């Protein structure tokens, strides 16, 4: 059997807003919007994520992506991925999203 390969590319993602969070929790975890926001508020209160009620998907020009990845580099589950990205030297700012002037996109803090 012959194999062929094709090149594919993917666009960089935009920042996570509340609507995208609710959609991901529903399709990926089967959570209701109420359950999702309850968990998100708990994670925010415990200092794990930034404020979860936002419609903005654009990070500010001063957002420290390398610093955010470095913060995750020691995590036992996804730290290996964060370290790989940091060591690859291919860190790029997320794609330009939309700034509606409320809060920055939802971001892991620790």
């Amino acid at each position: 059997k012959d194999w062929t390969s094709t090149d594919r590319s993917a666009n960089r993602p935009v920042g996570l807003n509340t609507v995208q969070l609710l959609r991901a929790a529903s399709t990926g975890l089967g959570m209701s919007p109420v359950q999702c926001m309850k968990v998100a508020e708990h994670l925010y209160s415990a200092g794990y994520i930034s404020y979860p009620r936002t419609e903005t998907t654009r990070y500010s020009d001063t957002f420290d992506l390398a610093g955010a990845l470095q913060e995750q580099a020691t995590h036992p589950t996804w730290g290996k991925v964060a370290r790989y990205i940091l060591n690859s030297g291919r860190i790029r700012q997320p794609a330009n999203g939309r700034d509606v002037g409320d809060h920055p996109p939802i971001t892991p803090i620790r």
Side-chain angles (χ1 to χ4, degrees), residues 60-96:
S60 73
D61 293 335
T62 60
F63 177 68
D64 182 11
L65 180 56
L69 284 167
Q70 190 64 50
E71 191 69 34
Q72 301 300 316
T74 58
H75 192 277
T77 304
W78 55 77
K80 185 176 180 180
V81 174
R83 288 189 303 276
Y84 173 79
I85 295 168
L86 285 165
N87 293 332
S88 74
R90 298 179 53 187
I91 298 174
R92 297 186 186 131
Q93 287 297 99
N96 287 336

Side-chain angles (χ1 to χ4, degrees), residues 5 29-31 47-48 54 58 67 77 83 85 107:
S5 66
L29 301 172
M31 296 174 76
Y48 287 100
T54 181
R58 178 183 171 85
T77 304
R83 288 189 303 276
I85 295 168
T107 307

Side-chain angles (χ1 to χ4, degrees), residues 9-110:
S9 64
N11 293 328
R12 291 177 289 156
V14 296
L16 183 69
N17 68 12
T18 305
V19 171
Q20 294 164 330
L21 172 66
L22 293 171
R23 187 177 298 133
S26 175
T27 59
L29 301 172
M31 296 174 76
S32 73
V34 171
Q35 288 174 307
C36 175
M37 289 312 296
K38 190 173 191 175
V39 170
E41 291 289 344
H42 177 73
L43 291 171
Y44 169 68
S45 296
Y48 287 100
I49 63 172
S50 61
Y51 190 67
R53 295 185 184 272
T54 181
E55 294 308 312
T56 295
T57 58
R58 178 183 171 85
Y59 287 99
S60 73
D61 293 335
T62 60
F63 177 68
D64 182 11
L65 180 56
L69 284 167
Q70 190 64 50
E71 191 69 34
Q72 301 300 316
T74 58
H75 192 277
T77 304
W78 55 77
K80 185 176 180 180
V81 174
R83 288 189 303 276
Y84 173 79
I85 295 168
L86 285 165
N87 293 332
S88 74
R90 298 179 53 187
I91 298 174
R92 297 186 186 131
Q93 287 297 99
N96 287 336
R98 199 175 107 204
D99 184 357
V100 297
D102 56 355
H103 298 280
I106 304 166
T107 307
I109 304 294
R110 58 179 177 137

